[in-house]
Amino acid sequence: MGALTTRKDTVSRRAALRTGALIVSFGLAGWPASGWPQEGATPLKSGPAPRPVDPHQVDGFLAVNADGSVTIFSGKVDLGTGLRAAIPQMAAEELGIDVAKIKLIEGDTATTPDQGPTSGSTGIMRGGIQIRQAAATARRVLIERAAQRLNAAPDSLETADGHVRPKSGGDGIKFADLIDNGRFNLTVDPKAPLKDPNTYTIVGKSLPRPDVPAKVTGSHVYVHDFSVPDMLHGRVVRPPAIGAKLVSVDEDSIKDLTGVRVVHIGDFLGVVADDEWTAVRAARALKATWSEWNGLPDQKELIAALRAGPLARDEELASRGEAGTAPADAKTIKATYFWPIQTHGSIGPSCAIADVKPNQATIWTASQSTHRYRHAFAKFLDLPLQAVRLIYLDGAGCYGMNGHEDAAADAALLSKATGRPVRVQWMRQDEHGWDPKGPPQLLDLVATIDADGRILDWLTQMWIPEATKGLPSIPLLGPQAAGLDQAHGIATGLISQNAEPPYDADRSRVIAHWLTDTPLRPAHIRAPGKIANCFAIESFIDELAAAAEQDPLAFRLRGLSDRRGIEVLKRAAAMLNWQPRLSPGPNIRSPISRGRGVAFVHYKNQETLVAIGMEVAVEHASGTVSVERVVCAHDCGLMINPDAVRAQVEGNILQTLSRALMEEVKFDHSHVTSVDWSTYPILTFSDVPKVEIDLIDRPTEPPLGVGEAASAPVAAALANAIFDATGVRLRRAPFTKERVKAAIG
Amino acid sequence: MPAYELRINGLPRHAKASDPDQPLLYALRSLGLTATKFGCGLGQCGACTVLVDGQAQRSCLTTVADCEGKSITTLEGLGSIVTPHPIQAAFIAEQVPQCGYCTSGMIMTAAGLLARNAKPSEADIRAELEGNLCRCGSHIRVVRAVLRASGQGG
């Protein structure tokens, strides 16, 4: 560790503020009371006692409590996504107990199994499924044990209301009475039979999400609101240029602020104070000299820079079919698409609390990956893994990896340096300036079609950064600045998926030109890569349809063989009352012209199916695009909680409209320059269109993810609608009015 | 440390601050009233909105000194889970929040609007909330909830 200097001011101890409230169920007239027990419970200062966290054991996931309740331990966390309702619903259904009797613990490395990060829309389809299987295993054993006690055949018994009881009626036995010390000591059986979906009484219901009442009354404890005794408030002073080195610090510059300590470790510079505002003032006032750094490329030349590399390698990601001989009247169409660097744009800047002691560390964080980052924290804090505990608390929505983990590392470094628990909340310019970004994506598409519009040959080429193989977690800013031990490399999420058309083609290929790096530190951002890829592929399909002089919907349907895909496309089209015709439409010369567009995704080629339709109005004089109506048909298989699904679909649509219409991170040679909401504007209420969503429920199909899929087709549907309205094809997001006006000419 | 006498959620409160320019936001949070959230500190996002003498204001831009003698209402002052304010009840009924970080500011802005205009149109609601940002995309439900709270719809 580098030099550590602190001012000698004694920092007065203060009573930590307490937050939170103990709650109770809620019930409102006209709204079903759910009586969820877990909501509002104040997070324990130390967290619950450590327990077995083996994901292969039933006990890893659930505990039967003496009071008749069941606690579920979930490695996947609720990010505002509804898991807090859906996972208890799945567990309650499979066990045979009222959902109100389920308590849920999330994302605590000492008490929940490592189910992988909460990312990639896997919360239900992986995490929920694991928990459901543990519950099914538990149910089978509960029934077997009750059968012995009651001297009855197992298939004459059922579970209900937390009891095993005869199907024919009569007294049953409480779950707790069938389990010694609340432990099953049982391996999760992947073949334990599941309940017949036709008998579901809890799964498939739009139960109210349990955290909503506390969120709307102010008693929900976000990580931002959490505190521990003796806690200091910290702020980090980031350099004016991304790669700048700390030359000197003038601690006298803040001598008027009492009780402030300055911490610098290598190039890591931070302040702590008793109260938050003093920490903010100190971070602003502290004078430091940094070295020059200007290693970012010219943003105006970014596309050329991506094409120029350097490349790690080229890789053929997909190749199917054989190219035949193109007939003489075949047409070859080419286009280049670009998706800009974007930020997660969390409304609350990242925050964390760390309590680092010489022999152990506890970190309260909104990380989506507490288990994964536990290793990183142990490494840079130089502690054994077992001595490090990360406990999840809600943050502001992050939709990928924003600054949550970085803020937690900042807090940990400041806590270790000061010997006190430290809370760090980033400022707005920290979040916009330093959160990991969605990387830029460049796609060249070329396709040959015959006179009838059949795709003879298709090639997608992508210039995207290559994720470092085996990288355990994304390097964090604080340890990097401090020169501490951590893994090096980049991660992006799976950004190369959905890069080939989901339609028939004689031959289809995808080639990735993997770049060795990307201008700003990347991370996964909602639907990583798929929004850009689907934007390109589904816009290009419309280009092919136009070249073939065919209706874009008919062009798609003819090439699509997936029954569920056909259904979502037809349903979305029906919502728009789609009448077949060529695009662009008839009114492209009007001062305000209107158009419609459609786009489709089969997410990751194997998950949720979504079709989005859109109606837009484009004002030619200003270039302003008004999205008037969005329709969406959505098939995610079994829906655990349809209203929670609907909320996710609404969010996907609105957030991606924002990304497509207005979002692009700006930077100069040394740093991000779009560091607030005026330089990085997002969608506001006046931009919100009418949204209609048709959710297709398939109770006998596996549940699929809903946190991302509906975002993928949004930009293409929008670009296709703008083309339909104006005859102008937009191949570069965002579709700002300046860009649209320039394109219309 | 100087202290400022504020009236918060109907009760006299004593807010200590070493700096008269300390934003009200930090005073509220250090009193344990953490429903009010820091979002940008620039008055651009609305997450920190509270009522000051009945008017919706950004607590990140309002100094604690300027609030002396004034009446401040935060989300905690509107109602509780057991006895929610009609706007809170409407936000529950419409299942508005996703992450919920912006929700406090949304509700306080709506409370300011409904105090002036008991039956706002949808356009009025959207205009009033134009400066409140939501990243999760809960806008549609926010508008529906405010309409419901004003006895229109639901």
Side-chain angles (χ1 to χ4, degrees):
Chain A
M1 188 176 286
L4 166 67
T5 63
T6 60
R7 276 170 62 167
K8 295 246 170 80
D9 305 353
T10 52
V11 185
S12 67
R13 296 163 75 89
R14 71 189 253 285
L17 64 95
R18 268 312 312 141
T19 60
L22 284 170
I23 309 307
V24 284
S25 59
F26 64 93
L28 290 170
W31 192 252
S34 77
W36 300 85
Q38 72 272 29
E39 180 39 46
T42 304
L44 297 174
K45 293 244 170 75
S46 56
R51 58 184 309 282
V53 293
D54 184 346
H56 304 292
Q57 292 292 311
V58 170
D59 294 326
F61 291 111
L62 62 92
V64 174
N65 305 312
D67 65 1
S69 65
V70 168
T71 307
I72 298 294
F73 299 89
S74 173
K76 302 281 191 189
V77 301
D78 190 313
L79 305 163
T81 44
L83 244 63
R84 211 162 271 156
I87 284 186
Q89 283 180 261
M90 294 174 85
E93 182 74 68
E94 210 58 47
L95 276 172
I97 190 170
D98 186 344
V99 71
K101 295 262 175 66
I102 302 268
K103 299 175 183 171
L104 183 69
I105 306 284
E106 303 159 53
D108 175 354
T109 59
T111 61
T112 69
D114 182 357
Q115 296 184 272
T118 309
S119 60
S121 293
T122 58
I124 296 297
M125 60 182 288
R126 304 254 167 74
I129 292 295
Q130 273 181 301
I131 289 169
R132 183 174 74 175
Q133 203 59 40
T137 307
R139 175 166 53 91
R140 187 176 67 185
V141 167
L142 289 165
I143 286 178
E144 285 169 2
R145 290 181 185 175
Q148 285 184 348
R149 289 253 201 111
L150 297 169
N151 197 21
D155 61 7
S156 71
L157 303 175
E158 65 181 5
T159 57
D161 298 332
H163 291 68
V164 182
R165 64 187 187 195
K167 288 178 183 168
S168 56
D171 289 344
I173 306 174
K174 269 170 51 181
F175 288 174
D177 294 342
L178 293 163
I179 302 295
D180 295 331
N181 303 320
R183 291 273 165 90
F184 284 90
N185 296 316
L186 192 65
T187 303
V188 176
D189 178 0
K191 295 206 166 69
L194 296 168
K195 276 195 176 165
D196 177 354
N198 294 313
T199 67
Y200 282 168
T201 58
I202 302 169
V203 164
K205 287 219 165 97
S206 290
L207 296 183
R209 284 173 280 130
D211 46 11
V212 166
K215 284 178 175 174
V216 307
T217 53
S219 56
H220 190 76
V221 180
Y222 293 84
V223 68
H224 307 76
D225 309 327
F226 185 70
S227 67
V228 293
D230 292 334
M231 187 179 88
L232 297 171
H233 289 271
R235 286 293 184 279
V236 175
V237 181
R238 301 271 176 230
I242 287 170
K245 302 286 178 195
L246 183 58
V247 176
S248 65
V249 181
D250 173 13
E251 296 194 20
D252 280 348
S253 58
I254 55 165
K255 65 175 187 290
D256 295 342
L257 296 171
T258 54
V260 177
R261 290 193 199 182
V262 175
V263 175
H264 69 82
I265 309 163
D267 299 316
F268 176 82
L269 180 61
V271 294
V272 295
D274 276 353
D275 71 283
E276 189 170 5
W277 179 241
T278 302
V280 171
R281 291 172 73 201
R284 285 178 181 165
L286 183 65
K287 288 194 175 136
T289 307
W290 301 85
S291 67
E292 301 247 324
W293 185 88
N294 51 17
L296 292 175
D298 187 338
Q299 185 163 19
K300 289 200 188 70
E301 306 298 327
L302 183 56
I303 290 175
L306 295 178
R307 232 179 251 292
L311 291 176
R313 64 200 172 99
D314 296 328
E315 182 181 8
E316 188 173 74
L317 296 177
S319 178
R320 60 181 162 102
E322 297 287 333
T325 308
D329 56 356
K331 290 182 190 169
T332 295
I333 320 288
K334 294 180 183 177
T336 294
Y337 285 82
F338 176 73
W339 193 264
I341 302 175
Q342 294 182 330
T343 183
H344 299 82
S346 298
I347 297 299
S350 297
C351 182
I353 293 97
D355 186 4
V356 180
K357 297 199 162 62
N359 56 356
Q360 65 171 25
T362 308
I363 320 284
W364 290 267
T365 171
S367 172
Q368 296 183 194
S369 319
T370 49
H371 282 280
R372 181 172 285 186
Y373 278 91
R374 184 184 183 208
H375 297 267
F377 278 71
K379 195 168 185 180
F380 77 76
L381 291 172
D382 196 21
L383 286 169
L385 184 66
Q386 297 309 317
V388 177
R389 180 175 188 177
L390 271 64
I391 300 175
Y392 174 77
L393 288 175
D394 285 13
C398 53
Y399 331 98
M401 181 180 164
N402 68 347
H404 287 324
E405 288 84 355
D406 289 305
D410 293 341
L413 291 176
L414 293 174
S415 176
K416 181 167 179 170
T418 58
R420 297 267 296 271
V422 175
R423 172 189 184 275
V424 169
Q425 181 164 13
W426 280 10
M427 303 304 284
R428 174 48 50 198
Q429 73 269 17
D430 298 327
E431 191 71 35
H432 267 75
W434 293 88
D435 81 316
K437 304 290 188 277
Q441 292 175 255
L442 178 66
L443 296 99
D444 276 354
L445 303 177
V446 56
T448 301
I449 54 172
D450 68 14
D452 199 29
R454 292 176 203 284
I455 302 172
L456 305 175
D457 200 4
W458 174 294
L459 173 62
T460 300
Q461 296 185 83
M462 306 186 285
W463 283 261
I464 47 176
E466 182 172 38
T468 306
K469 291 219 167 25
L471 185 70
S473 55
I474 294 171
L476 301 178
L477 297 172
Q480 185 176 334
L484 300 175
D485 193 16
Q486 65 174 341
H488 292 285
I490 60 173
T492 57
L494 300 170
I495 56 175
S496 65
Q497 296 172 320
N498 286 122
E500 59 180 320
Y503 311 104
D504 292 342
D506 287 352
R507 183 167 73 153
S508 171
R509 288 176 299 153
V510 178
I511 292 172
H513 304 291
W514 293 112
L515 297 160
T516 56
D517 206 353
T518 188
L520 299 166
R521 183 178 57 142
H524 44 291
I525 185 170
R526 196 174 204 165
K530 272 78 84 181
I531 291 175
N533 296 341
C534 190
F535 162 53
I537 273 65
E538 282 288 290
S539 295
F540 195 57
I541 286 291
D542 264 40
E543 297 202 54
L544 300 187
E549 298 181 7
Q550 292 181 14
D551 172 75
L553 174 68
F555 187 89
R556 284 176 171 79
L557 288 172
R558 194 182 70 180
L560 193 59
S561 46
D562 185 293
R563 176 180 59 85
R564 291 166 70 176
I566 291 168
E567 179 160 359
V568 291
L569 264 170
K570 285 187 170 173
R571 285 200 190 203
M575 292 162 86
L576 284 186
N577 191 25
W578 188 281
Q579 302 299 321
R581 62 165 171 77
L582 301 187
S583 189
N587 69 351
I588 62 171
R589 304 279 170 235
S590 308
I592 295 178
S593 59
R594 287 189 158 75
R596 66 182 190 186
V598 69
F600 165 72
V601 74
H602 187 185
Y603 197 63
K604 303 181 187 175
N605 293 333
Q606 57 183 7
E607 296 179 9
T608 294
L609 303 106
V610 188
I612 300 258
M614 220 170 279
E615 291 175 350
V616 303
V618 182
E619 185 183 64
H620 291 225
S622 65
T624 302
V625 175
S626 301
V627 180
E628 298 186 326
R629 187 170 172 227
V630 179
V631 302
C632 173
H634 189 275
D635 174 358
C636 60
L638 165 68
M639 287 192 286
I640 311 300
N641 183 318
D643 188 64
V645 172
R646 186 173 295 274
Q648 285 305 294
V649 175
E650 290 168 5
N652 274 308
I653 290 169
L654 296 186
Q655 190 180 88
T656 313
L657 276 180
S658 180
R659 291 174 68 177
L661 282 169
M662 48 191 85
E663 296 184 30
E664 178 165 26
V665 169
K666 309 281 198 326
F667 55 89
D668 63 18
H669 286 293
S670 62
H671 67 289
V672 173
T673 55
S674 52
V675 292
D676 62 18
W677 297 117
S678 68
T679 47
Y680 191 91
I682 62 171
L683 183 104
T684 60
F685 276 89
S686 60
D687 306 313
V688 173
K690 191 175 172 194
V691 175
E692 295 153 59
I693 297 165
D694 183 4
L695 299 176
I696 301 170
D697 190 22
R698 298 192 186 276
T700 57
E701 295 287 343
L704 301 168
V706 301
E708 301 176 320
S711 62
V714 168
L718 176 56
N720 292 339
I722 293 170
F723 176 76
D724 191 56
T726 63
V728 167
R729 174 58 58 185
L730 297 176
R731 300 187 185 91
R732 179 174 187 170
F735 315 143
T736 59
K737 63 182 178 183
E738 294 78 13
R739 240 177 225 159
V740 173
K741 187 179 173 183
I744 292 172
Chain B
M1 196 181 284
Y4 299 86
E5 301 305 322
L6 310 175
R7 193 161 184 85
I8 305 174
N9 298 333
L11 298 171
R13 300 295 294 260
H14 207 65
K16 288 182 184 168
S18 57
D19 174 18
D21 291 334
Q22 174 184 292
L24 173 64
L25 169 69
Y26 295 94
L28 294 172
R29 293 185 59 84
S30 64
L31 287 167
L33 297 167
T34 54
T36 308
K37 299 288 190 273
F38 173 79
C40 64
L42 306 164
Q44 296 176 344
C45 76
C48 67
T49 305
V50 298
L51 299 182
V52 179
D53 287 343
Q55 305 272 329
Q57 281 195 22
R58 305 290 192 242
S59 66
C60 74
L61 296 183
T62 307
T63 68
V64 64
D66 281 348
C67 289
E68 215 167 11
K70 291 184 179 166
S71 178
I72 293 144
T73 307
T74 70
L75 186 67
E76 294 98 334
L78 284 191
S80 66
I81 290 182
V82 179
T83 55
H85 182 278
I87 302 177
Q88 293 170 319
F91 269 62
I92 295 169
E94 297 290 351
Q95 292 283 289
V96 174
Q98 290 186 33
C99 88
Y101 197 88
C102 72
T103 302
S104 175
M106 294 282 180
I107 292 176
M108 298 317 294
T109 303
L113 170 65
L114 295 189
R116 292 198 316 274
N117 179 356
K119 296 276 181 208
S121 66
E122 181 173 335
D124 293 337
I125 295 167
R126 285 180 180 236
E128 189 76 10
L129 290 164
E130 185 66 9
N132 287 73
L133 299 180
C134 169
R135 187 55 162 167
C136 294
S138 70
H139 307 72
I140 297 163
R141 293 175 186 231
V142 169
V143 172
R144 227 161 45 209
V146 180
L147 283 169
R148 177 191 278 257
S150 59
Q152 310 173 87

